Amino acid sequence: MDSRGAGATAVAMLDRVRRLCRGRDVALGYSLIVVAVVITLAVAPRSVHDELVLHSSTNLNNLRHHPIYVLVVSAFVLASPVELVEIPLLIWAYGAVQRWLGRGAAVITGAYGHVGATLFVAALLATGITRGVISPAVAHVEDVGVSYGLAAVAGLCTIRVPRRWRPAYVTVFVAVLAVALVLFHTFTDIGHATAWAIGLGLAVIVSGARRPHNPG
């Protein structure tokens, strides 16, 4: 291939990348920050890694002492590099909402799911500890990640899925959430289900708002 052909190929590839990134800057920016944080924590000493993750966790102890800080920071921290497998789905879901409803809607939906599910789980844990059915030790557990916000955004995306694929889309997500609840019995899984329900609720609201009004 001569230089002219190579140049044309490079231009075509750059144009393809631009088209792919267009309308997904929120998703890509969020993902880059998360990946950067994961890399930073991965190269840090284990003691530093564990301390930073625990300090960023939305557990009851942290929510009691610095709630705003952990509600924000926890959405950018992953406990393990393995959780980076969520990044492709994050880019797709946040990108789909941004292209459909705009940057603000993508950010608000993710934040609403993350904060709403976190506070719902915190209320359940606090109630369980008060009633003596849950160990007080859970007030200090790690709870960080992008999954609550992602679940809410994916729930909102339900009405963007083509109608013929929508039942399968919903079935897969419900099955994954149900299996996780049955197998692991963790409050994090309850949080995922809560965030997904928040996203579905927003989908109903958006669908109703965008439906043409027929006064007759």
Side-chain angles (χ1 to χ4, degrees), residues 60-99:
L60 291 179
N61 182 61
N62 288 342
L63 285 172
R64 186 178 299 113
H65 292 97
H66 38 273
I68 304 301
Y69 171 81
V70 294
L71 283 171
V72 174
V73 174
S74 62
F76 296 90
V77 177
L78 299 180
S80 167
V82 175
E83 296 178 29
L84 286 173
V85 297
E86 297 173 329
I87 294 298
L89 180 57
L90 184 151
I91 293 174
W92 170 79
Y94 277 84
V97 171
Q98 180 181 343
R99 286 188 163 195

Side-chain angles (χ1 to χ4, degrees), residues 85-168:
V85 297
E86 297 173 329
I87 294 298
L89 180 57
L90 184 151
I91 293 174
W92 170 79
Y94 277 84
V97 171
Q98 180 181 343
R99 286 188 163 195
W100 172 35
L101 299 174
R103 293 185 183 90
V107 173
I108 290 171
T109 301
Y112 191 26
H114 177 72
V115 174
T118 295
L119 296 182
F120 180 74
V121 169
L124 291 179
L125 292 174
T127 301
I129 292 173
T130 300
R131 294 184 176 180
V133 296
I134 297 176
S135 169
V138 301
H140 302 275
V141 298
E142 295 178 359
D143 191 6
V144 294
V146 303
S147 56
Y148 286 175
L150 176 56
V153 174
L156 176 57
C157 284
T158 300
I159 56 176
R160 289 297 289 171
V161 175
R163 196 175 292 272
R164 66 180 181 277
W165 296 110
R166 199 172 297 166

